[in-house]
Amino acid sequence: MKFEELNLNDNILDALYDMHFEDCTPVQEKCIPPILEGRDVLGVAQTGTGKTAAYLLPILSRLDDGGYPKDAVNCIVMSPTRELAQQIDQAMQGFAYYLPDVSSVAVYGGNDGNRYDQEMKSMRLGADVIIATPGRLISHISMGNIDLSKVSFFVLDEADRMLDMGFSDDILKIASKLPKECQTIMFSATMPKDIEKLAQSLLKNPIEVKLAVSKPAEKIQQSAYICYETQKLQIIQDIFKAGDLKRVIIFSGSKMKVKQINQALLKMKINSGEMHSDLEQAERDDIMFKFKSGQIDVLVATDIVARGIDIDDIAMIINYDVPHDAEDYVHRIGRTARADRDGVAITFVNEDDMFAFHQIEKFLDKDIQKNPLPEGCGEGPDYTTSKRPGKTSAKSRRRKDRDNNAHKDSRQRGDRKPGTESRKSTPKGPSKKGQDAQDSPSKETQDKQRQEQPKQEKRQRGRGQKQERQHAQQQAQPSAEGQKQRGRHKYADKQRGQQTKRNQQKLQGQNKQSEKPQQSKKKGVVQPNLNERGLKGFIKHPIRWIMNIGKK
């Protein structure tokens, strides 16, 4: 069916003609007529099927026809993420190009105070369409910046994702502020039980539109590599060597791993960037702009990009980690093969993710192709689907992450050269109880000892050379500096044993002079101690004390 056959406004049709949109998708064909009639709609369809246009086009057409209050908010569109809100706002600007009387504003967090003031002014002046994330809209409601008493359309886009992110209470709170006659439209890629409960509480006699629930597009070529964690980066390097791929998204389950993968790709001289929730809003906007404009070839991201991000020319999706939910797998690979294009989806499956990957195959009712590992990677684990991973402690998981961390430059434990074992791995000598049974060491221990001997000798030689250099530097110090460092007293150097040659000669001459009065000593006469200073020496022998000062 073509858009011209639908009962849309002429201005909307002109905008679609300029955007080269002629044929409707199945979800648009089935959702637009009931929305134009004012019915509540529950749409469930896979990603990339045009759900955004399915609710924006009829709503804009009805707003342009008139009959709705001016200077008031007439439509609320809820989005789970900032990126999706921005994308809906961009689509809104295109569809409403010939609608000068219809205004819109995107409301989301992570911005500065100026942006917040703009949002507040737009809502108080009565923007027709508000595209918002739940948390930001709740803050404006609590501040009294928006009046929801005249809202005619309430849209929940990616409702299942919003529930997964914990926005169910916020959605119900926003819905409670709306008038009872408000038309509610809900779109979701999956249909879990929570969505059914939410639909029953919000929708009034809805028309359900379900198309290929949770099934990826048929043009996606899916495959998997059964590998160890340490082999994943080598497989990525081999994939990029095979072809010049410039539009690739690599998904990972954690923010820390996204950062590590991006650093490893940059060291491979791959033009990549990272996208996760730790980035500021300006940084997230800059990364998405660079990726969409082709300045970045590879985007490493968490599931924040897996929902609703519309980039038509994505060539490949790589799941670095197997998502634990089969529906998340569908959303990830749904970023490719959009707008009737071909796409490739590759998943890395390690020994702990085999059970989860088999559940995905059951969910899709399809056996995904298993690719052989490239040359140089070695052998991978055997693919077993019956083993369910058991619960492990957090300490053991952290230890395993350190051991099997393929994103760092440190060598893997299995690839270390002989002789580089850590101190903990060096064999200890036999105990007293087992000396009789272990009198002769094994060949392995002998080889290790032989390999460690030259290293120990080299360390000892290095220490001896270092001590000789330090001793030579001490001997080469000037006498004046040495005197300043060692003190002003002329006997301090003799007591410390650090006298230079010149000072030793001076001491020898002073000793000879001091020996002459000692020869004329008389028995029973107490010789004065010339070293005595201060008042004590002056009181005992004043004359000799004064003569000693004169000699100095």
Side-chain angles (χ1 to χ4, degrees), residues 44-46 189-191 209-216 327 330 363:
V44 182
Q46 64 189 15
T190 59
M191 195 63 181
V209 178
K210 296 183 179 180
L211 299 174
V213 180
S214 301
K215 299 294 182 182
E327 296 171 353
V330 175
F363 183 79

Side-chain angles (χ1 to χ4, degrees), residues 153 263 353 440:
F153 305 96
Q263 292 176 0
D353 294 335
S440 59

Side-chain angles (χ1 to χ4, degrees), residues 41 59 68 83 225 240 266 280 298 318 341 426-427 436 441 476 522 530 549:
V41 174
I59 290 174
Y68 296 92
E83 286 73 26
Y225 285 95
F240 281 94
L266 292 175
E280 298 292 337
V298 181
I318 297 178
R341 300 191 183 190
T426 53
D436 296 336
K522 294 182 180 180
L530 301 182
I549 294 300

Side-chain angles (χ1 to χ4, degrees), residues 477-487 493 496 500 503:
Q477 285 182 351
S479 59
E481 293 180 0
Q483 285 291 342
K484 289 180 182 179
Q485 294 176 2
R486 288 188 283 269
D493 290 337
R496 296 171 187 172
T500 60
N503 292 333

Side-chain angles (χ1 to χ4, degrees), residues 238-253:
D238 183 77
I239 291 172
F240 281 94
K241 283 182 180 179
D244 187 15
L245 300 176
K246 293 185 177 180
R247 307 293 285 168
V248 180
I249 299 179
I250 300 176
F251 284 106
S252 181

Side-chain angles (χ1 to χ4, degrees), residues 6-58:
L6 299 174
N7 192 19
L8 292 173
N9 187 288
D10 291 339
N11 294 327
I12 297 294
L13 294 176
D14 291 341
L16 293 174
Y17 177 80
D18 292 342
M19 299 171 70
H20 303 286
F21 288 167
E22 297 180 0
D23 297 328
C24 301
T25 62
V27 67
Q28 294 168 357
E29 180 181 349
K30 294 185 178 182
C31 290
I32 290 177
I35 295 176
L36 289 173
E37 295 173 0
R39 299 284 303 275
D40 288 359
V41 174
L42 174 60
V44 182
Q46 64 189 15
T47 57
T49 55
K51 290 182 290 185
T52 304
Y55 62 81
L56 279 183
L57 293 177

Side-chain angles (χ1 to χ4, degrees), residues 242-294:
D244 187 15
L245 300 176
K246 293 185 177 180
R247 307 293 285 168
V248 180
I249 299 179
I250 300 176
F251 284 106
S252 181
S254 65
K255 296 178 287 187
M256 184 61 65
K257 192 169 286 188
V258 165
K259 299 174 185 177
Q260 294 171 349
I261 295 170
N262 184 46
Q263 292 176 0
L265 294 179
L266 292 175
K267 290 180 180 179
M268 294 180 190
K269 297 183 179 180
I270 297 174
N271 187 15
S272 65
E274 59 188 48
M275 181 71 175
H276 48 79
S277 59
D278 282 350
L279 299 178
E280 298 292 337
Q281 184 59 43
E283 296 175 332
R284 292 164 70 167
D285 295 341
D286 183 58
I287 287 293
M288 290 303 299
F289 173 76
K290 289 181 178 179
F291 184 65
K292 289 181 179 180
S293 61

